[in-house]
Amino acid sequence: MDRRKGSGSRDANGGLAEATASRLRFEDADEVAGEVGMEVEEGPAAPGEEVIGNDKTSADYYFDSYSHFGIHEEMLKDVVRTRSYQNVITQNNFLFKDKIVLDVGAGTGILSLFCAKAGAKHVYAIECSQMADMAKEIVKTNGFSEVITVIKGKVEEIELPVPKVDVIISEWMGYFLLFENMLDTVLFARDKWLADDGVVLPDKASLHLTAIEDAEYKEDKIEFWNNVYGFDMSCIKKQAMMEPLVDTVDQNQIVTNCQLLKTMDISKMSSGDASFTVPFKLVAERNDFIHALVAYFNVSFTKCHKLMGFSTGPRSKSTHWKQTVLYLEDVVTICEGETLSGSMTVANNKKNPRDIDITLKYAINGNRCKVSRTQHYKMR
């Protein structure tokens, strides 16, 4: 299962294209009830879940979205993502040979298949969406039914037939690393089922920040609302500024150094560690203008024979995660060696914890620009 929702993206011609379809759909309770010949009484939303019409929660919409094969096709065709996991598993058989493995958010079951092929004693693949039914068929077709058990349900609600597992593997990362909050589910599984000497894969993730020149696209996306066929629609501009853009950034746009914001140790961290405030200091590498800050993440598998992992940064091979662009209200004129400093606060949205609220404070006291501002962003 994967989390692929953003405010927008550029198409091949540089125009604004709709981002990957919204992931907020739900499993049809009536259809499930019909299968077992009984009525379904809808219960209250779980704490922290937003109710969206007809008593469906945001979590229901979220899980059902992964019933659609197109999302899984996009993930599987992301060579950086899928090959990285494949190489981690196949080149480090000692982590999987004769081990009990838990695949959290299994989707089509591709990671489970890799683990089974690497010699796992048994793999439990948990998938909450309707894709679980397809995963069962895929497992059977490929002859791994005796090794892989697909369990349909939420990690927080199911029970495993074993008390502990040796390995937990998951591709939980979302846009901006934390969007859609699947990390909490992995941590829940870790605390409940992972053996004392067990391994979580990946076990390290880090969030990074840089600054870019992006005058042309900011003009097209943000300033566009100032004059729409002769009409002032600038009220929408304020909303557009608050929505981070998921997009592929050209490395030539980068104006400053890239700074590490936050490192997470998935094997040790607590759920609350995914909400944080961190300082940053970006130093200009040339005279230029800054229109936006750009966030991206790296993932590491440190338990392998050799350190393995991948980056979603603008200087690395592109992935479906792309980068997350936060446009600034100011156009910052910066000279080589000058510093744009500030802090970033990241927290789960209180109504829908799968969404992210970001507060950015930045300031510069340069030769040609002096500004200090706080901006708020909402990743939905």
Side-chain angles (χ1 to χ4, degrees), residues 5-19:
K5 178 186 173 188
S7 302
S9 64
R10 291 186 180 97
D11 61 21
N13 298 316
L16 182 63
E18 184 176 347

Side-chain angles (χ1 to χ4, degrees), residues 76-101:
L76 292 168
K77 287 182 175 178
D78 183 337
V79 176
V80 173
R81 165 198 181 268
T82 309
R83 287 290 185 196
S84 292
Y85 275 87
Q86 183 183 35
N87 290 339
V88 163
I89 296 166
T90 59
Q91 295 176 20
N92 296 275
N93 291 43
F94 71 94
L95 291 174
F96 301 92
K97 180 82 171 159
D98 299 325
K99 299 296 177 64
I100 304 297
V101 179

Side-chain angles (χ1 to χ4, degrees), residues 65-77:
S65 68
Y66 293 97
S67 300
H68 302 273
F69 75 90
I71 297 173
H72 298 279
E73 179 184 1
E74 180 187 21
M75 292 186 289
L76 292 168
K77 287 182 175 178

Side-chain angles (χ1 to χ4, degrees), residues 245-262:
L245 180 76
V246 174
D247 198 6
T248 300
V249 171
D250 186 329
Q251 63 176 318
N252 294 322
Q253 294 176 264
I254 297 174
V255 176
T256 69
N257 63 311
C258 299
Q259 182 178 332
L260 171 66
L261 288 180
K262 177 78 172 178

